[in-house]
Amino acid sequence: HYVIKKPFIKIKFSDFTTTTVENGLYLLSTQQNYEALIKMGWKRKKEAVRLLGLGVNLGLNEEIQLTLF
């Protein structure tokens, strides 16, 4: 069973450079969280955007208890 670890966005600018923004504090993939990530990415290079990608990183929903000794 997989769970969402963190949402991310990828922005490709008009000059074909790319930036990726992800934030583990946003556990939900809501429109507001994606808008915040897009704003963070666009502030890095305020140019025209050629392509915008949205996604989530997945992880297994397993808690593993490690032994110390």
Side-chain angles (χ1 to χ4, degrees):
H1 182 213
Y2 291 98
V3 294
I4 295 174
K5 292 291 184 182
K6 54 187 165 184
F8 69 88
I9 59 105
K10 289 189 178 229
I11 300 173
K12 184 176 282 188
F13 295 99
S14 60
D15 64 354
F16 291 95
T17 59
T18 304
T19 189
T20 302
V21 182
E22 60 185 11
N23 193 329
L25 299 177
Y26 298 142
L27 298 179
L28 299 175
S29 298
T30 64
Q31 180 178 343
Q32 292 82 12
N33 290 346
Y34 279 113
E35 287 175 1
L37 293 173
I38 291 167
K39 287 177 184 177
M40 283 187 252
W42 190 75
K43 284 181 182 178
R44 293 180 181 177
K45 189 173 187 175
K46 296 179 180 177
E47 279 192 20
V49 174
R50 180 177 202 74
L51 185 65
L52 180 63
L54 308 175
V56 292
N57 290 323
L58 299 176
L60 290 175
N61 190 15
E62 294 180 10
E63 292 187 21
I64 300 172
Q65 180 70 40
L66 299 176
T67 58
L68 294 176
F69 303 101

